[in-house]
Amino acid sequence: MPSTRAGGRLLFAGAARRHRVSGPDPHLSERLRLFQQLRAAQQQRDEAGTGTGTGTGTGSGRPPPGTPIRIALPGGGCLPGRALQTTPFQVATQLGGGLAKAALVARVNGTLQDLDRPLESDTDLELLDFSTPEGRAAFWQSSACVLGAVAEQFYGATLCSAQATEDGFFCDVHMGERTVQRGELPALEDACDTFARTGHRFERLEATRQQLAELFKHNSFQLQQIEEEVTSPTATVYRCGPLLQLCHGPLLRHTGLIAALRILTSSAAFWRGAGSRQSLQRVAAVAFPSAQDLAAWQQAQDEAALRDHRRIGREQELFFFHKLSPGSCFFLPRGAHVYNTLVDFIRSEYRARGFCEVVTPNVFSPQLWELSGHWQHYSTHMFSFTAGTETLSLKPMNCPAHCLMFAHRPRSWRELPLRLADFGVLHRNEPPSTLTGLTRVRRFQQDDAHIFCTLEQLEGEIDACLDFVQTVYATLGFSFRLALATRPPGFLGDPETWDRAEQQLERSLRAFGQPWELSLGDGAFYGPKIDIRIRDALGRQHQCGTIQLDFQMPERFELEYASATGGVVRPVLIHRAVLGSVERMVAVLAESCGGRWPLWLSPVQAMVIPQAPEVEDYAREVQAVLRGDGMMADLDGDAGATLARKIRRAQLAHYNFQLVVGRRERAHGTVSVRTRDNRQLGEHDLHRLLQRLRELRDARVPDAEEQF
């Protein structure tokens, strides 16, 4: 699509004008001129060494511009540089090897920053590309700015927000009564490609609240965001072509790095949630550094669509949803088998690891949640109702009930660590638009457990939790990544307690020996945590397990135990889950294995196939023997189908084994065994077959068909 420039704006010729809902922004030139004035002043201050950013100014201890600095690189390398002059991009260029082209953002002394932002002092420098979570986040946030800039010009709309997500990005725009039509998306995508190829630079400005108010005075949405979210004296604004966007960053150097962009969907949204009356339009997209990356992503999407757990659940008759109970799953017998097998697996680990399973109520007074602190932070996600004169709530988590259990009688140090496990039903009031199969539901269960222990026991308990995680995920066939999530805004308690808790988790992570990363500000409001992200067979990551350290809730519930010396001491609380939501784990497993379940978990373990109607009675005997031992065994008694058709039908349905019986097998008390990959394993005595299947199932081997 051809484009022209006018007054600092990018105007799209032809079709774009037909999509506009308003005329050109009359204030654009004014805003861009103010931005450039403020940025020029900032650059002068930086060059003089008197900037207002973090760690700047004459009293900050930062060396003057041009002072020699030391730049430490991963692996032990070191380069010289100049304070406030050398940039991470210059270092990437100097190092060569394609780094200047691949690097997207930098980690400087543990903090992410733009590649063109000069280094201030001695630096530990790491260059991050698209393969890293931080690199992808910056790439997609930058791409969201491209989409936002184009959407404003394309529709004459007002950009409300532009955000990166775990798997792409989206923009929310206000268009009055106008909506984004699906047929317009290809033209919008072409306009984004044109804009990106132009190579607009991402220019960063640190502005005061007063300057922010002036820059965004014609955008009420951005002004509200500034009022609600900017609590520091300054905040960061980026310019990308005609766009000004309040954004923490870091972002890319320029839009030319965005080589391939695909617009996915458009939908309705609401400003600040469904309670707002401001209706918006949301456009979701994804982008990559190369067309090859986009093609690989599309191939993965096609594969994921074939593995969608909702399709597998329907085809294998595992579960369904109904409009009369939105967000709550109906597990059919086969699905209940998978569900209960996962729970039984965790229960077996609980028995081996000293956990005690408990049962707690579903309905509580709000006083409980006020005491725990959840009411302040979580009440909008809870189901509450009145019963007579009382207000009651369905529990969204188990930890407060477990605190009541600990506190219901005096406790001694001899009882610690006390490990309480609970598979109780939980309810969370998720918005209707977010409900997605089993991955986002309103009714669910977790492999939830809470450990009450002494400070001296804390390190050993965290280490044991990490070993628990490793054991379970290895059995399920997942690799995983660990992240230490630190205190968020609005945290409960004092910073010193948080520091102590974070340091303990960091020590445990280092001792565990697996790679981990820092996730600043992502902790729970009551304590830091270790987030565990598993990687499935398609390479996708899922947040399932967590280990959370909590010094706050024992204080709020006044939990205490008698110490060995006779004093009274507060216990430490560890929240932990490995599967997380069992519903979500069923979805992740279904998609990861594509419906080809491992034998121990499979809802379709064996299909008994009679060669002819005359041996169907024996086939039913075989099925009964298998079912009597807890095997999921079905029988294909279709007299109108050939033997070959029955076998093929069972293999397409992913039955782990097909057990064929005819006159010979009936006479000898045997079965002929095939696998779902059509391997013929020969004739086997029925009871020896059952013994072998039991051994493979109980050992939870991932490849029983190969090990048979």
Side-chain angles (χ1 to χ4, degrees):
M1 180 179 295
S3 62
T4 59
R5 291 188 177 277
R9 293 183 293 116
L10 184 70
L11 298 179
F12 298 102
R17 293 176 179 170
R18 297 197 298 272
H19 303 296
R20 282 186 166 274
V21 294
S22 64
D25 181 359
H27 308 289
L28 179 60
S29 296
E30 172 192 346
R31 289 189 290 120
L32 296 182
R33 185 162 52 250
L34 174 59
F35 178 91
Q36 294 307 131
Q37 290 172 353
L38 294 173
R39 191 163 188 277
Q42 174 181 280
Q43 288 176 326
Q44 290 179 354
R45 291 193 300 272
D46 288 343
E47 290 170 0
T50 59
T52 59
T54 302
T56 63
T58 55
S60 68
R62 186 183 68 178
T67 302
I69 60 173
R70 178 179 178 274
I71 304 171
L73 303 171
C78 187
L79 290 175
R82 298 282 179 177
L84 292 171
Q85 294 176 2
T86 302
T87 67
F89 180 72
Q90 290 172 343
V91 174
T93 302
Q94 183 177 349
L95 291 173
L99 269 178
K101 184 177 181 180
L104 301 176
V105 292
R107 183 182 282 117
V108 176
N109 294 330
T111 301
L112 298 176
Q113 77 171 51
D114 302 329
L115 288 180
D116 282 338
R117 187 177 175 187
L119 304 173
E120 297 180 354
S121 59
D122 287 345
T123 296
D124 289 331
L125 177 66
E126 184 179 0
L127 300 169
L128 305 172
D129 61 16
F130 192 79
S131 68
T132 65
E134 300 88 348
R136 285 193 299 276
F139 191 93
W140 283 334
Q141 184 62 55
S142 304
S143 302
C145 291
V146 169
L147 178 57
V150 173
E152 280 198 328
Q153 298 294 305
F154 194 82
Y155 291 109
T158 300
L159 178 65
C160 304
S161 63
Q163 298 182 30
T165 65
E166 291 186 358
D167 49 12
F169 55 94
F170 68 85
C171 286
D172 287 345
V173 294
H174 183 250
M175 300 171 57
E177 299 300 317
R178 175 82 156 79
T179 61
V180 176
Q181 301 298 310
R182 184 171 184 82
E184 299 168 347
L185 298 185
L188 181 61
E189 184 177 301
D190 289 343
C192 289
D193 288 338
T194 299
F195 186 93
R197 285 197 301 271
T198 305
H200 295 280
R201 299 197 69 80
F202 290 97
E203 300 176 276
R204 181 181 182 275
L205 169 68
E206 198 165 334
T208 65
R209 290 180 63 90
Q210 182 179 358
Q211 292 167 345
L212 292 172
E214 186 65 23
L215 285 168
F216 295 104
K217 65 182 180 182
H218 301 296
N219 187 325
S220 61
F221 300 97
Q222 296 274 358
L223 288 176
Q224 182 180 345
Q225 184 181 359
I226 292 167
E227 183 65 28
E228 294 178 355
E229 298 181 8
V230 178
T231 57
S232 58
T234 63
T236 306
V237 180
Y238 281 85
R239 176 184 176 182
C240 178
L243 178 76
L244 296 184
Q245 174 68 15
L246 187 69
C247 177
H248 184 270
L251 299 182
L252 307 183
R253 298 181 63 239
H254 57 81
T255 64
L257 298 170
I258 304 169
L261 185 147
R262 173 75 50 81
I263 292 183
L264 304 175
T265 61
S266 63
S267 60
F270 293 94
W271 175 246
R272 298 303 195 201
S276 169
R277 295 189 177 185
Q278 290 275 28
S279 179
L280 311 177
Q281 290 291 294
R282 173 167 295 180
V283 181
V286 70
F288 295 93
S290 72
Q292 291 82 1
D293 290 333
L294 176 59
W297 173 86
Q298 185 61 60
Q299 183 177 354
Q301 293 303 110
D302 294 341
E303 174 67 17
L306 294 175
R307 293 175 176 236
D308 190 303
H309 74 277
R310 291 164 292 188
R311 183 186 67 81
I312 293 170
R314 182 175 60 253
E315 293 179 353
Q316 294 189 339
E317 295 191 66
L318 305 179
F319 59 84
F320 69 93
F321 289 86
H322 198 283
K323 64 181 179 181
L324 295 182
S325 185
S328 299
C329 183
F330 293 76
F331 279 96
L332 297 164
R334 288 178 176 175
H337 169 80
V338 176
Y339 198 101
N340 292 332
T341 302
L342 283 171
V343 171
D344 289 343
F345 173 33
I346 298 299
R347 281 194 169 117
S348 70
E349 289 294 323
Y350 282 159
R351 289 190 290 271
R353 296 171 183 271
F355 285 79
C356 302
E357 189 172 344
V358 298
V359 178
T360 51
N362 287 88
V363 178
F364 289 91
S365 164
Q367 293 177 11
L368 176 70
W369 312 112
E370 291 168 357
L371 178 59
S372 69
H374 288 97
W375 195 258
Q376 174 188 356
H377 294 267
Y378 211 80
S379 60
T380 57
H381 297 287
M382 296 170 65
F383 285 105
S384 298
F385 58 94
T386 57
T389 59
E390 288 185 291
T391 297
L392 299 170
S393 299
L394 292 173
K395 66 176 179 182
M397 65 279 295
N398 290 308
C399 40
H402 290 182
C403 287
L404 293 182
M405 277 192 159
F406 186 94
H408 92 283
R409 66 167 175 79
R411 298 286 181 179
S412 164
W413 62 275
R414 293 184 178 87
E415 298 179 73
L416 304 183
L418 180 62
R419 308 180 186 98
L420 301 181
D422 198 332
F423 288 100
V425 174
L426 307 176
H427 287 85
R428 295 182 184 175
N429 188 12
E430 303 287 0
S433 61
T434 67
L435 300 176
T436 312
L438 292 174
T439 59
R440 196 73 172 265
V441 291
R442 288 174 170 168
R443 184 269 185 209
F444 62 100
Q445 293 172 245
Q446 291 182 315
D447 62 330
D448 201 11
H450 297 90
I451 303 170
F452 300 87
C453 64
T454 69
L455 277 172
E456 294 74 22
Q457 294 166 339
L458 183 58
E459 184 174 351
E461 290 301 308
I462 295 293
D463 293 347
C465 287
L466 289 168
D467 180 73
F468 199 156
V469 165
Q470 190 168 45
T471 298
V472 171
Y473 288 165
T475 301
L476 296 176
F478 295 131
S479 60
F480 60 92
R481 298 180 59 165
L482 302 167
L484 173 56
T486 60
R487 60 176 174 262
F491 63 89
L492 294 179
D494 61 90
E496 293 76 17
T497 300
W498 275 81
D499 288 342
R500 188 168 73 250
E502 291 170 1
Q503 290 164 7
Q504 177 59 68
L505 291 182
E506 182 174 347
R507 284 195 297 271
S508 293
L509 284 171
R510 293 188 185 281
F512 188 55
Q514 296 280 356
W516 61 278
E517 58 195 43
L518 194 62
S519 186
L520 295 171
D522 284 340
F525 67 87
Y526 50 76
K529 59 181 179 174
I530 298 173
D531 281 333
I532 304 119
R533 300 181 67 85
I534 60 176
R535 188 180 181 89
D536 68 14
L538 296 177
R540 300 173 303 180
Q541 295 189 36
H542 306 273
Q543 172 68 58
C544 295
T546 188
I547 302 168
Q548 303 179 3
L549 194 53
D550 190 348
F551 288 98
Q552 312 304 326
M553 206 166 292
E555 289 284 346
R556 299 178 76 91
F557 282 85
E558 298 182 350
L559 303 183
E560 54 190 33
Y561 64 91
S563 70
T565 59
V568 176
V569 185
R570 289 259 189 269
V572 179
L573 176 59
I574 302 171
H575 309 248
R576 50 104 282 158
V578 182
L579 302 180
S581 160
V582 183
E583 282 78 359
R584 178 177 172 82
M585 181 55 72
V586 170
V588 172
L589 284 166
E591 295 186 358
S592 186
C593 71
R596 293 168 59 88
W597 301 88
L599 176 71
W600 70 274
L601 201 54
S602 177
V604 285
Q605 292 170 330
M607 174 65 82
V608 183
I609 303 174
Q611 288 184 346
E614 63 190 77
V615 294
E616 187 171 322
D617 287 346
Y618 177 64
R620 294 197 180 279
E621 289 179 24
V622 172
Q623 181 189 23
V625 169
L626 294 172
R627 285 190 169 184
D629 198 61
M631 302 297 294
M632 296 293 287
D634 295 320
L635 183 145
D636 189 343
D638 184 359
T642 64
L643 176 62
R645 178 171 175 78
K646 291 179 182 180
I647 292 173
R648 183 58 178 158
R649 196 156 54 191
Q651 291 171 347
L652 291 175
H654 302 313
Y655 281 86
N656 301 76
F657 294 96
Q658 297 92 54
L659 310 179
V660 179
V661 296
R663 294 175 183 174
R664 174 185 172 84
E665 287 80 9
R666 182 177 61 183
H668 293 87
T670 59
V671 295
S672 293
V673 183
R674 292 172 180 256
T675 72
R676 61 188 169 198
D677 294 320
N678 204 30
R679 291 179 61 238
Q680 299 187 37
L681 303 179
E683 190 176 345
H684 294 266
D685 176 80
L686 174 58
H687 295 287
R688 289 184 180 177
L689 166 77
L690 179 60
Q691 180 182 353
R692 183 56 178 155
L693 291 179
R694 185 191 303 126
E695 292 170 351
L696 294 169
R697 179 194 64 190
D698 294 348
R700 301 188 184 92
V701 299
D703 55 348
E705 299 81 13
E706 300 296 325
Q707 298 294 328
F708 184 87

